[in-house]
Amino acid sequence: MEGSVDQLAPERNKAEFDVDAMKIVWAGSSHVLEVSERIAHLVASDPAFRKDNRPMLGRKELFKNTLRKAAYAWKRITELRLNEEEASLLRVFVDEAAFTDLHWGMFVPAIKGQGTEEQQQKWLPLAHKMQIIGCYAQTELGHGSNVQGLETTATFDPKTDEFVIHSPTLTSSKWWPGGLGKVSTHAIVYARLIIDGQDYGVNGFIAQLRSLDDHLPLPGITIGDIGMKFGNGAYNTMDNGVLRFNNVRIPRDQMLMRVSQVTREGKFVQSSVPRQLVYGTMVFVRQTIVAGASVALSRAVCIATRYSAVRRQFGSRNGGPETQVIDYKTQQARLFPLLASAYAFRFVGEWLNWLYTDVMQRLQAGDFSTLPEAHACTAGLKSLTTSVTADGIEECRKLCGGHGYLCSSGLPELFAAYVPTCTYEGDNVVLQLQVARHLIKTISQLGSAKKPVGTTAYFGRLEQLMQYHSDVQKAEDWLKPNVVLGAFEARAARKSVAVAQNLSKFSNPEEGFQELSADLVEAAVAHCQLIIVSKFIEKLQTDIPGKGVKQQLESLCSIYALFLLHKHLGDFLSTGCITPEQGYLADEQLRSLYSQVRPNAIALVDAFNHTDHYLGSVLGCYDGNVYPKLYAEAWKDPLNDLVVPDGYQEYIRPLLKQQLRNARL
């Protein structure tokens, strides 16, 4: 009944598994779950972190509100003596894009990864205490993905032992760095190193931008905000900036010199530390983005699932209740694959975290063998997961019908705040092309002493995969992990081999790469989808506690894989991996899986353990009491402050009285 304490209690009673155990599986461990719950409650219970009024604020109010929250968050972090893990979670649950994101997420890691020990000792204590605030100034007005095309210069002056940083063109203006516009005091600036007229390529420099006394820009620096972005509140809480240098001098020791150095005499030297270590920061950032994709998608799916269980439309018989929207097969076919994707991305994110740790340990020991693999994996999975998540959030908005269009649904702002991930830290198409190069190189080395490893190990069975034909005879066969893996491996292998063969026909490889770029992207996506499916299957082979939890995860894994097979059926058919009849059987099994997941849908999104504050949605609230909340929310709009609106006397009354000709408009 409308207005009851928990509208969704009947749905929760249907659960066929231990929800608390699933919460631990989602969190990764009972420790992480405990810390996460504690910090989430800390934020949700503090009125200072209120966010429901965000879409109604003007840009200046919005930005100042974000400054207040960031300062207050830091105050609470220091008062409560939160550790690094807890502080990071607090910033996540505040759920507001702010200058602190780039400070902790890019500025600090860049110094850790690319600064010498002396530089780290000088700069990191200041950054950790937030006595300086940093950003990451790489992208320019004219160049983003093509880092080697950056135009900003850093010319060494041996007379003064300084670098002169300069923006020689309009397009060399740094453009987009978060935190730069109004807050950052320092930046990691990427510029072309020039010594005696010779260009040594792009290197990183620590540059102070603003005075630490009055926050005014330092001499020679032009700096500001680039303007409003897509959406209401969303990413407009962030001061994305523009920055130009007019022959700004910085000391020589502010070049990040862990990998390459410039001596006092002006000599460029490579240090004993391998250049590959620079990629460590990139791998770290991208694996955190993959982990963030699962969280963002889970938020949208949680809102859409809960609302779909509350909303009723059509199907009423003999005066009975209408049908819950979630019971329509069309709704399930759009919603449940996204639910499965959220779990799939969570588990591949866990694996990427392990991969990053393993790679960094190997790099420290001088072993670079797994770096190309890690670079390709993080690039491809960043691209795939963020693209799917951005599209998935929008799909969840559509799944909520007209109410999903309201800012109070939480979905428009979630989409607007999330969609930049498809571009930053690597444009998603460009990243898949990088993956494709890795695949083509791997294929070219087959037959040599260098064997494919890691996620490309299946290329070692290329002859077998090129002869593969699925032996599926009934729908249930598609529930077998080896059957699914066989089809996905064969599809990925054949698409990569086909494009490699076509590339070999070009006398100029780069010309071929340009001509076949769309095919190369498709091959890379097939490879990345195989990675996610295989890592989900590997997760199922670990010890999973709790009654019925493994069974639910098996269903979600099958939904994820079979939905991809359905979506890319043309690939599987055209490469000869399966027959049309086997495709029909996969669809039949997929429909059956939707029915199996249906009774557990609410419990599966409850396992994400999102607070109402973090979701920020009247449609996705835990108690499902949607309509009273929607009604109450409407009256909070500033337009409802007055019964008769401003402008009535000037515009509405003359119109109604047909006096427009005499009115002064």
Side-chain angles (χ1 to χ4, degrees):
M1 178 179 171
E2 186 171 296
S4 62
V5 174
D6 190 347
Q7 294 269 51
L8 293 172
E11 290 290 331
R12 295 188 170 98
N13 293 334
K14 295 178 183 177
E16 302 166 341
F17 68 97
D18 183 345
V19 180
D20 289 334
M22 186 69 89
K23 287 180 180 179
I24 294 174
V25 171
W26 173 264
S29 71
S30 55
H31 163 74
V32 173
L33 177 64
E34 183 275 323
V35 173
S36 177
E37 285 185 330
R38 176 162 49 83
I39 301 300
H41 177 73
L42 177 70
V43 173
S45 61
D46 194 329
F49 292 126
R50 175 191 174 191
K51 63 179 186 178
D52 60 307
N53 62 337
R54 199 161 50 193
M56 301 175 191
L57 299 178
R59 180 76 197 286
K60 286 185 176 180
E61 294 173 283
L62 190 68
F63 179 63
K64 190 172 182 180
N65 193 43
T66 302
L67 297 183
R68 177 189 61 77
K69 285 188 184 180
Y72 182 72
W74 181 248
K75 179 172 180 283
R76 296 299 286 150
I77 287 167
T78 52
E79 285 175 348
L80 299 171
R81 298 182 180 179
L82 300 186
N83 60 33
E84 192 173 328
E85 176 191 18
E86 294 167 330
S88 177
L89 279 171
L90 186 142
R91 287 189 288 270
V92 167
F93 290 127
V94 169
D95 190 36
E96 196 150 310
F99 63 90
T100 48
D101 298 350
L102 278 295
H103 176 82
W104 295 109
M106 295 294 289
F107 183 75
V108 170
I111 295 175
K112 283 182 179 178
Q114 298 171 43
T116 61
E117 286 189 21
E118 293 79 10
Q119 288 175 322
Q120 291 181 41
Q121 289 170 7
K122 176 181 178 180
W123 296 101
L124 289 179
L126 296 171
H128 284 147
K129 294 175 184 175
M130 296 204 79
Q131 291 174 320
I132 62 172
I133 298 170
C135 67
Y136 190 85
Q138 177 173 293
T139 299
E140 294 178 354
L141 187 58
H143 287 91
S145 297
N146 182 14
V147 176
Q148 297 309 311
L150 297 179
E151 300 176 85
T152 304
T153 57
T155 305
F156 182 63
D157 182 351
K159 297 176 184 175
T160 60
D161 196 27
E162 294 173 316
F163 289 107
V164 182
I165 302 183
H166 186 60
S167 306
T169 63
L170 180 68
T171 50
S172 69
S173 305
K174 294 298 178 184
W175 191 272
W176 275 116
L180 171 66
K182 294 295 173 184
V183 178
S184 297
T185 61
H186 291 69
I188 304 291
V189 177
Y190 286 87
R192 312 195 71 81
L193 173 62
I194 310 294
I195 305 174
D196 289 333
Q198 184 174 346
D199 187 335
Y200 287 88
V202 174
N203 287 264
F205 302 83
I206 301 174
Q208 184 172 347
L209 308 177
R210 292 178 168 97
S211 164
L212 294 176
D213 294 322
D214 57 15
H215 208 62
L216 289 174
L218 296 182
I221 287 176
T222 301
I223 194 168
D225 186 274
I226 62 171
M228 286 285 284
K229 282 88 62 178
F230 177 70
N232 293 65
Y235 220 79
N236 287 300
T237 55
M238 180 74 82
D239 56 325
N240 298 91
V242 54
L243 169 65
R244 297 198 72 185
F245 295 94
N246 183 11
N247 296 308
V248 174
R249 292 177 173 270
I250 64 170
R252 178 174 56 87
D253 64 6
Q254 287 181 211
M255 172 183 171
L256 292 175
M257 293 196 189
R258 186 178 186 188
V259 173
S260 51
Q261 303 160 1
V262 175
T263 67
R264 176 66 186 87
E265 296 73 32
K267 185 179 179 183
F268 179 79
V269 294
Q270 296 283 358
S271 74
S272 58
V273 177
R275 188 166 184 81
Q276 288 94 326
L277 275 178
V278 173
Y279 293 111
T281 304
M282 185 188 300
V283 171
F284 168 75
V285 172
R286 287 177 180 166
Q287 65 93 15
T288 61
I289 291 174
V290 173
S294 70
V295 175
L297 184 55
S298 72
R299 290 173 68 178
V301 167
C302 185
I303 293 167
T305 302
R306 286 176 176 172
Y307 179 65
S308 295
V310 172
R311 184 73 167 181
R312 292 177 178 272
Q313 292 287 286
F314 306 113
S316 175
R317 294 180 182 176
N318 302 319
E322 294 178 272
T323 302
Q324 289 170 274
V325 170
I326 199 170
D327 286 329
Y328 289 106
K329 293 297 180 181
T330 49
Q331 194 83 349
Q332 293 176 11
R334 295 162 66 194
L335 179 59
F336 291 168
L338 294 175
L339 172 62
S341 296
Y343 277 91
F345 295 171
R346 188 68 166 187
F347 301 143
V348 82
E350 286 180 359
W351 171 75
L352 267 188
N353 181 261
W354 169 85
L355 180 67
Y356 166 73
T357 304
D358 180 69
V359 166
M360 292 308 293
Q361 289 173 348
R362 289 172 182 266
L363 289 178
Q364 298 294 345
D367 177 2
F368 307 106
S369 60
T370 59
L371 187 61
E373 159 85 350
H375 183 262
C377 285
T378 51
L381 292 173
K382 180 271 178 186
S383 172
L384 189 148
T385 58
T386 55
S387 292
V388 171
T389 296
D391 292 344
I393 294 169
E394 170 62 5
E395 185 69 5
C396 285
R397 184 193 65 76
K398 294 174 185 174
L399 285 165
C400 291
H403 294 331
Y405 195 63
L406 286 168
C407 283
S408 60
S409 76
L411 292 165
E413 191 170 3
L414 178 60
F415 176 76
Y418 185 79
V419 78
T421 58
C422 295
T423 307
Y424 66 58
E425 291 314 300
D427 175 86
N428 281 356
V429 172
V430 173
L431 290 182
Q432 291 296 6
L433 288 171
Q434 291 178 10
V435 177
R437 287 188 185 275
H438 176 67
L439 296 177
I440 298 302
K441 183 177 180 180
T442 302
I443 290 174
S444 71
Q445 294 172 337
L446 293 177
S448 68
K450 193 166 186 178
K451 303 297 181 185
V453 296
T455 60
T456 58
Y458 65 100
F459 283 133
R461 296 179 280 109
L462 194 58
E463 187 175 340
Q464 175 189 343
L465 290 172
M466 295 303 287
Q467 300 298 320
Y468 174 88
H469 295 288
S470 177
D471 59 0
V472 165
Q473 294 182 335
K474 56 185 183 298
E476 293 78 12
D477 289 343
W478 281 114
L479 297 177
K480 300 173 183 176
N482 63 313
V483 170
V484 170
L485 275 179
F488 272 79
E489 285 180 342
R491 171 220 183 191
R494 292 179 191 184
K495 288 190 76 67
S496 290
V497 167
V499 75
Q501 289 174 340
N502 287 333
L503 273 173
S504 67
K505 299 173 185 176
F506 287 81
S507 56
N508 183 336
E510 283 306 309
E511 181 184 332
F513 208 85
Q514 289 290 335
E515 183 66 25
L516 299 173
S517 57
D519 295 346
L520 286 159
V521 167
E522 287 186 9
V525 168
H527 173 70
C528 292
Q529 289 173 341
L530 167 61
I531 293 175
I532 298 176
V533 169
S534 65
K535 296 309 170 187
F536 205 148
I537 290 173
E538 285 180 17
K539 180 70 176 182
L540 295 173
Q541 295 166 352
T542 62
D543 182 28
I544 298 175
K547 177 187 173 185
V549 171
K550 185 173 183 179
Q551 183 181 355
Q552 292 304 311
L553 291 177
E554 287 172 342
S555 294
L556 290 172
C557 181
S558 294
I559 285 175
Y560 181 74
L562 295 183
F563 175 75
L564 287 179
L565 190 149
H566 170 82
K567 184 178 179 182
H568 300 279
L569 186 59
D571 281 0
F572 289 92
L573 293 176
S574 65
T575 53
C577 303
I578 69 172
T579 65
E581 291 75 17
Q582 290 169 333
Y584 294 139
L585 291 173
D587 285 348
E588 181 183 325
Q589 185 56 56
L590 189 57
R591 286 192 298 273
S592 175
L593 287 164
Y594 292 157
S595 297
Q596 292 173 35
V597 165
R598 165 63 188 94
N600 299 285
I602 294 300
L604 284 167
V605 299
D606 283 351
F608 299 145
N609 213 27
H610 298 318
T611 63
D612 281 354
H613 176 273
Y614 187 53
L615 283 181
S617 169
V618 296
L619 303 187
C621 46
Y622 182 84
D623 64 14
N625 208 8
V626 170
Y627 300 122
K629 287 182 169 66
L630 269 174
Y631 188 81
E633 201 67 28
W635 294 105
K636 296 178 183 177
D637 192 281
L639 276 183
N640 287 322
D641 289 347
L642 297 173
V643 176
V644 177
D646 281 342
Y648 168 77
Q649 292 293 343
E650 298 96 324
Y651 310 116
I652 300 176
R653 193 173 190 282
L655 182 67
L656 293 172
K657 300 297 183 182
Q658 298 297 297
Q659 296 171 346
L660 276 180
R661 270 183 275 179
N662 301 325
R664 296 181 63 187
L665 298 181

